[in-house]
């Protein structure tokens, strides 16, 4: 597999003339927000199966801007994201194109793809409640709604309300309860915070371990990443101090978010791009995904990793179509400002 520098060269080549176009038939260019170590095994497998060369550009930010700036001359064929937010943005900015594929439609459940086929989920995760084993009884909290109960005053930790993970969760609260109700809920949740929103998801679990708070919001895969962390073994202790609560099991299910992919608007290797997406939704790729980051494969028939089976078991995930939440994120952001959530 070639890397960023090679892709830049390829881009220059394809701009320069036709010489590279024949070559382009055997390659696909990927712009990825997902970290390289997560997707490399998959892209290598794809290359092995199809012979198509994958050129990978990874970046924490700015890939959409780059796509936008490059316009019709962009070498990018596929956009991979670590979360649904950038997929909404890409759709909104007209940077991606619909894909009609029976394979994708049958491999990926309907709520995990855009109804207009502009993005497709490849993995899923839940935004769950991490609860102190010592200070929260099992069954004491069962829903996101209950996070606003005054009994939790000074006992909840979260990262910034404006973080994309929280925006998606809060957007789902608006979808189910409306704007006015959610404003009050956010205000009450804010009143229950042990400290000003700060840090990342893992540092909230650390705060539970240290007794700063009793409940924390966090994505489910971080549990696996903490529990198996050899480089920072203290994280194993953070993980061992909490129970995992998948909220709202008696109604809509726990809020789900995804990592996913789109085919770009001007994909020079469009056919290969579609092939790559289809491969990533295949049984084989989904099984690799299941092992690599403690996420849930989107294909319901994929076996889950042992750790997930042991600690997360079967749970009900919310099956609202995620595209519905896209426009509600701006509303959530406005409500957060209104209640001064991050202050
Ligand atoms: Fe994350």
């Amino acid at each position: 597999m070639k890397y960023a520098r090679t892709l830049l060269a390829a881009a220059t080549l394809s701009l320069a003339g036709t010489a590279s176009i024949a070559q382009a038939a055997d390659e696909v260019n990927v712009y990825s927000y997902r970290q390289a170590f997560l997707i490399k095994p998959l892209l290598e497998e794809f290359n092995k199966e199809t012979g198509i060369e994958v050129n990978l550009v990874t970046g924490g930010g700015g890939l959409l801007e780059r796509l936008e700036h490059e316009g019709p001359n962009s070498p990018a064929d596929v956009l991979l994201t670590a979360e649904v937010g950038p997929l909404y943005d890409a759709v909104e900015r007209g940077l991606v194109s619909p894909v009609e594929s029976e394979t994708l439609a049958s491999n990926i459940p309907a709520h995990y793809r855009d109804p207009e086929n502009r993005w497709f989920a490849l993995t899923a995760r839940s935004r769950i409640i991490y609860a102190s084993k010592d200070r929260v009884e099992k069954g004491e909290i069962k829903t996101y709604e209950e996070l606003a109960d005054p009994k939790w005053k000074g006992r909840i930790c979260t990262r910034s309300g404006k973080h994309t993970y929280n925006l998606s969760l809060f957007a789902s609260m608006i979808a189910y309860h409306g704007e006015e109700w959610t404003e009050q809920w956010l205000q009450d949740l804010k009143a229950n915070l042990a400290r000003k929103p700060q840090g990342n998801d893992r540092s909230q679990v650390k705060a539970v371990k240290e007794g700063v708070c009793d409940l924390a919001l966090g994505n489910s895969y971080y549990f696996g990443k903490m529990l198996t962390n050899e480089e920072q073994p203290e994280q194993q202790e953070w993980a061992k101090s909490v129970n995992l609560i998948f909220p709202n099991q008696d109604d809509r299910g726990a809020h789900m978010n995804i990592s996913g992919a789109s085919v770009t608007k001007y994909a020079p290797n469009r056919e290969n791009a579609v092939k790559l997406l289809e491969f990533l939704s295949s049984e084989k790729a989904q099984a690799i995904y299941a092992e690599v980051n403690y996420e849930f494969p989107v294909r319901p028939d994929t076996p889950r990793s042992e750790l997930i089976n042991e600690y997360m078991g079967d749970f009900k995930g919310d099956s609202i179509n995620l595209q519905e939440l896209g426009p509600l994120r701006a509303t959530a952001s406005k409500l957060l400002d209104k209640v001064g959530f991050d202050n």
Side-chain angles (χ1 to χ4, degrees):
M1 200 163 44
K2 291 180 277 178
Y3 289 93
R5 222 174 292 151
T6 328
L7 175 57
L8 288 175
T12 317
L13 264 180
S14 64
L15 289 177
T18 49
S20 62
I21 290 177
Q23 199 184 16
D26 301 305
E27 61 182 28
V28 64
N29 300 320
V30 177
Y31 280 12
S32 175
Y33 282 97
R34 286 233 99 168
Q35 293 160 278
F37 82 95
L38 290 174
I39 47 170
K40 256 165 63 181
L42 292 150
L43 300 180
E44 277 162 10
E45 193 58 39
F46 174 70
N47 173 258
K48 234 178 25 188
E49 257 185 36
T50 62
I52 297 168
E53 196 74 42
V54 183
N55 305 307
L56 177 64
V57 173
T58 55
L63 287 177
L64 289 187
E65 287 65 31
R66 183 164 164 180
L67 256 183
E68 197 159 47
H69 176 78
E70 290 167 341
N73 295 322
S74 177
D77 299 299
V78 170
L79 176 70
L80 283 180
T81 74
E83 205 263 333
V84 71
L87 295 172
Y88 296 140
D89 288 350
V91 163
E92 207 138 276
R93 295 187 198 183
L95 299 173
V96 296
S97 57
V99 173
E100 303 304 329
S101 157
E102 275 174 36
T103 305
L104 290 174
S106 76
N107 286 351
I108 303 172
H111 63 283
Y112 283 150
R113 46 190 159 85
D114 171 34
E116 293 178 42
N117 296 315
R118 295 161 300 183
W119 59 259
F120 300 85
L122 299 170
T123 62
R125 69 291 290 269
S126 178
R127 193 145 185 82
I128 60 174
I129 300 171
Y130 288 90
S132 164
K133 276 183 183 164
D134 296 337
R135 300 180 301 278
V136 181
E137 299 277 323
K138 282 213 166 155
E140 222 185 321
I141 181 160
K142 289 182 164 177
T143 65
Y144 298 109
E145 286 76 2
E146 289 170 307
L147 289 169
D149 189 313
K151 78 178 269 197
W152 300 112
K153 195 162 184 62
R155 298 173 69 187
I156 302 177
C157 281
T158 179
R159 75 194 310 166
S160 162
K162 293 273 181 92
H163 186 274
T164 181
Y165 297 157
N166 275 339
L167 279 183
S168 289
L169 170 63
F170 299 160
S172 81
M173 298 305 280
I174 298 171
Y176 286 105
H177 295 294
E179 199 174 322
E180 216 174 297
W181 184 96
T182 304
E183 180 179 337
Q184 187 61 50
W185 178 79
L186 283 170
Q187 193 158 7
D188 296 342
L189 170 57
K190 159 88 183 154
N192 285 345
L193 296 183
R195 60 182 186 182
K196 194 175 135 133
Q198 58 193 268
N200 57 21
D201 277 359
R202 282 188 240 205
S203 65
Q204 314 312 318
V205 182
K206 175 175 189 260
V208 171
K209 158 80 184 161
E210 290 170 348
V212 176
C213 41
D214 299 338
L215 300 177
L217 278 172
N219 282 356
S220 50
Y221 54 84
Y222 286 118
F223 180 76
K225 289 163 96 79
M226 292 186 290
L227 192 68
T228 59
N229 202 315
E230 301 290 344
E231 271 160 44
Q232 290 171 277
E234 66 274 17
Q235 293 198 8
Q236 299 175 19
E237 301 310 313
W238 307 349
K240 286 177 193 159
S241 76
V242 291
N243 286 315
L244 310 185
I245 297 167
F246 289 80
N248 297 75
Q249 294 304 289
D250 297 332
D251 46 80
R252 65 187 180 270
H255 171 69
M256 304 300 288
N257 200 324
I258 53 137
S259 78
S262 290
V263 172
T264 62
K265 183 170 181 188
Y266 298 108
N269 307 289
R270 190 179 165 84
E271 231 175 275
N272 291 347
V274 175
K275 271 189 204 157
L276 177 56
L277 261 58
E278 290 177 344
F279 170 78
L280 293 174
S281 73
S282 71
E283 237 166 288
K284 187 189 257 176
Q286 288 285 300
I288 298 176
Y289 269 131
E291 293 300 330
V292 92
N293 197 37
Y294 310 108
E295 289 179 281
F296 313 115
V298 289
R299 276 178 77 126
D301 57 348
T302 314
R304 293 177 171 191
S305 78
E306 241 169 78
L307 183 143
I308 284 184
N309 276 335
E310 184 176 346
Y311 292 96
M312 307 192 192
D314 259 336
F315 68 94
K316 182 179 176 186
D318 190 350
S319 59
I320 191 171
N321 189 292
L322 288 178
Q323 186 60 30
E324 268 185 59
L325 302 185
L328 297 177
R329 285 157 54 97
T331 316
S333 181
K334 184 189 77 184
L335 296 182
L336 289 161
D337 284 337
K338 231 170 142 184
V339 305
F341 194 86
D342 280 347
N343 302 339

